Amino acid sequence: MSFYKSFVRPILFLFPIERVHNFMLAALRVVGDTIVGEWLLGKIYTFRHPSLEREVFGVRFRNPIGAAAGLDRDARLYRQFGALGFGFVEIGSITPKPQQGNIRPRLFRVPGKRALIHHMGEPNCGIERAIEHIRRRAHGRKVVVGANIAPNEHFLQENTTKEYLRTFRNLYQYVEYFTVNVNALMPQSDHYTEEHRATIETMLEALFDFRRGQNDYRPILLKISPDWSTRQIDDMVGILIDTPLDGLVVSDSSATPGNILTPKQQSRMSGGVLSGAPLLERTIELVRYVCSKMDYSYPVIGVGGVMSTQDAQRLLDAGASLVQCFSAMVYEGPAFPGRVCRQLAAPAIAQERAQKRAK
Ligand SMILES: Cc1cc2nc3c(=O)[nH]c(=O)nc-3n(C[C@H](O)[C@H](O)[C@H](O)COP(=O)(O)O)c2cc1C
């Protein structure tokens, strides 16, 4: 048992999760906000090894473990998360204007299942503040930063493309890749029609158009929900194959986690979605499905239920090029990304040692 799980977590779990989450993020911000603090965090937590490095959609990653969208929603902490050992951080979801999200409480733990239930409503500081935060300490940034973009709540349907384009255009020079969150454009599966696919394609085409006019190329990925029907998922894979879309993020929190919750938890869940361990099998199944559908020819970021090195390895084996996590930071603590990296690199390190001994 780690120090975090034996001593820190039992105390943190006595308090409401969002208060703890905000406190931990504030502490992390203070500790890692200077060059010395960031260096110290890196010394304690980061693990580097050449076997972990990889190039995916044209971007160089020092390791395949990333912080999922929602962890650094205001782009204030990506350097600190990098120092904790993450190879990349997906900021956001960022919307054009700031928004408060839903009223609290809106985030709950389900410790028995190592899960979280939330109906956050994507609170974030909006593009302008996010850019200020990114620019403040852009110099010498080592961690890859992606931006997850979404429209503001209550946006007008006819403004869909404008909503995404505005965030995309403004953040273009500040991040290394984009993830387009289309949850707000997707109806429940039985209401899904060709028109929804067309709306998504039109919006993406505007992003591609803007990108064609730029000197630097920014990969664009689309985030898939585990709650979509096979038809919806197949359509998104079709868009990936037919357009210059660069990859998929598979998948997301789920509104249908099966019968794993008690009636009380179910009632908290109304309007909410579930993250954490119960998602893993569905995520693996989905990663395998989309990868085989597109013949393993486009990159996939696997996310949902990764709580251990073995879970991350299973997603990589299923076809993911990179892996992200959110809930593991709550249940496993800040050493999680570094620990996963160390364990992922262990076979390569053992091989190196054996080769040295043989010489
Ligand atoms: C509190 C919370 C907030 C989240 N916010 C976002 C978000 O703003 N945008 C998004 O695309 N995903 C968001 N997610 C989903 C995560 O990025 C991730 O896909 C999901 O939690 C599954 O990963 P996990 O099982 O490792 O937690 C959020 C998840 C949680 C728990």
Side-chain angles (χ1 to χ4, degrees), residues 21 67-71 73 90 92-94 106-107 114 116-118 120-123 148 150 179 181 183 223 249 251-254 273-277 279-280 283 303-307 324-328:
H21 188 66
L71 263 176
R73 52 182 186 241
E90 193 167 303
S93 296
I94 308 268
R106 56 193 179 176
L107 177 58
R114 292 189 301 154
L116 303 173
I117 297 172
H118 73 97
M120 301 294 288
E122 291 168 359
N148 183 305
T179 296
N181 183 330
N183 276 336
K223 190 162 178 172
V249 179
S251 57
D252 203 341
S253 309
S254 171
V273 285
L274 189 109
S275 290
L279 297 182
L280 181 68
T283 309
V303 53
V306 173
M307 311 299 278
Q324 289 175 330
C325 60
F326 186 124
S327 306

